[in-house]
């Protein structure tokens, strides 16, 4: 990122005075002084800044609540991985007990997981005009985490052992997946409620990549609109 001092060295004094008079304050990037003022606001939003104040990682209370609730989606979709662990350690059921109504509602129809996925992705992640980058990043993390559940599901359905070493392996995989989902739910929701940015292993990198692709697409669209004038 270029600094304002480096931009000062590249522009002549007369040009700087005209730019500073017309655009208040001038943007540190070289191409931004040639964009209209309304484009500057649009570009700030494209760079992930919260229009209601703060940087891209700041969040208002409604954004925190929405982001925290998103982490329920992968947990509800993968709660069945905990059947072995919950049967061996009944005290763990006390943690799941408050979520029983949500689990029953989620499992009431086989279409619910798919419909929730479409809603979160297209109505939240792909809707920067209605949701801040903070909400969209956390929602994308929850979606990626849910997509990763395909792999343990395939392992379980492909082998489906009923006893022996194979069953022990499946039980270990399922219990590990369930614990990871439970920790992700607790950590992600708690961090969001505190206004922090939770970063889950592997998942955060994929969410960052999606955010970068979206940012680059919006930047190219803005610059293209400006060059077309």
């Amino acid at each position: 990122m270029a600094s304002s001092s480096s931009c000062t060295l590249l522009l002549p004094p007369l040009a700087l005075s005209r730019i500073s008079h017309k655009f208040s304050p001038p943007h540190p990037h070289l191409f931004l002084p040639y964009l209209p003022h309304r484009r500057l606001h649009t570009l700030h939003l494209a760079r992930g800044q919260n229009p209601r104040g703060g940087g891209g990682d700041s969040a208002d209370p409604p954004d925190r609540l929405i982001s925290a609730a998103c982490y329920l989606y992968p947990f509800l979709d993968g709660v069945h991985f905990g059947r072995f662990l919950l049967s061996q350690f009944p005290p763990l059921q006390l943690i799941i007990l408050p979520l029983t109504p949500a689990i029953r509602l989620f499992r009431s129809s086989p279409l619910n997981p798919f419909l929730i996925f479409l809603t979160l992705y297209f109505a939240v992640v792909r809707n920067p005009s209605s949701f801040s980058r903070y909400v969209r990043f956390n929602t994308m993390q929850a979606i990626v985490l849910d997509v990763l559940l395909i792999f343990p599901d395939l392992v379980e359905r492909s082998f489906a052992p009923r006893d022996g070493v194979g069953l022990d392996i499946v039980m270990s995989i399922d219990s590990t997946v369930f614990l990871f989902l439970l920790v992700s739910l607790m950590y992600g929701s708690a961090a969001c409620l505190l206004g922090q940015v939770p970063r889950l292993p592997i998942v955060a990198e994929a969410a960052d990549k999606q955010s970068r692709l979206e940012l680059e697409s919006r930047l190219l669209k803005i610059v293209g609109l400006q060059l077309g004038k």
Side-chain angles (χ1 to χ4, degrees):
M1 181 179 292
S3 64
S4 57
S5 60
S6 61
C7 294
T8 305
L9 294 176
L10 293 175
L11 294 175
L14 181 58
L16 280 176
S17 61
R18 291 178 178 175
I19 290 173
S20 60
H21 176 72
K22 187 175 181 180
F23 302 96
S24 180
H27 198 279
H29 292 278
L30 290 178
F31 69 95
L32 287 182
Y34 300 96
L35 294 176
H37 183 69
R38 59 187 177 88
R39 294 295 181 197
L40 292 180
H41 176 69
T42 306
L43 188 57
H44 280 305
L45 298 183
R47 289 175 61 82
Q49 294 184 359
N50 192 332
R52 288 165 290 187
D57 293 334
S58 63
D60 294 336
D63 292 343
R64 299 182 187 186
L65 290 175
I66 296 173
S67 299
C70 288
Y71 289 99
L72 276 172
Y73 168 57
F75 181 79
L76 295 178
D77 199 17
V79 70
H80 63 278
F81 289 108
R83 61 186 183 278
F84 300 116
L85 195 63
L86 294 175
S87 62
Q88 294 177 2
F89 301 96
L92 282 177
Q93 298 179 14
L94 298 177
I95 303 177
I96 312 300
L97 189 60
L99 299 176
T100 302
I103 295 174
R104 290 177 179 174
L105 181 62
F106 188 87
R107 296 285 176 178
S108 61
S109 172
L111 292 177
N112 284 344
F114 181 65
L115 294 177
I116 294 176
F117 169 83
L118 293 179
T119 302
L120 291 178
Y121 186 74
F122 289 104
V124 180
V125 175
R126 304 291 294 176
N127 190 8
S129 61
S130 300
F131 295 95
S132 66
R133 183 181 182 275
Y134 184 86
V135 173
R136 289 183 284 118
F137 172 79
N138 284 288
T139 304
M140 193 63 206
Q141 276 204 132
I143 290 175
V144 173
L145 181 57
D146 182 73
V147 171
L148 292 179
L149 296 180
I150 294 175
F151 298 104
D153 252 339
L154 287 176
V155 172
E156 186 175 346
R157 293 180 182 182
S158 299
F159 297 99
R162 297 186 177 182
D163 54 16
V165 179
L167 180 60
D168 293 337
I169 294 175
V170 170
M171 290 175 60
S172 299
I173 294 175
D174 285 3
S175 299
T176 302
V177 171
F178 175 77
L179 288 176
F180 183 72
L181 290 174
L182 182 59
V183 171
S184 298
L185 171 63
M186 297 174 66
Y187 165 65
S189 299
C192 288
L193 292 176
L194 294 174
Q196 300 175 356
V197 182
R199 297 189 63 83
L200 304 177
I202 303 174
V203 177
E205 184 178 351
D208 278 335
K209 184 177 180 180
Q210 172 67 25
S211 299
R212 286 195 299 268
L213 291 175
E214 180 184 339
L215 172 59
E216 291 172 2
S217 175
R218 297 193 71 192
L219 286 174
L220 290 174
K221 190 177 297 184
I222 292 172
V223 174
L225 288 174
Q226 178 61 25
L227 294 178
K229 290 190 174 183

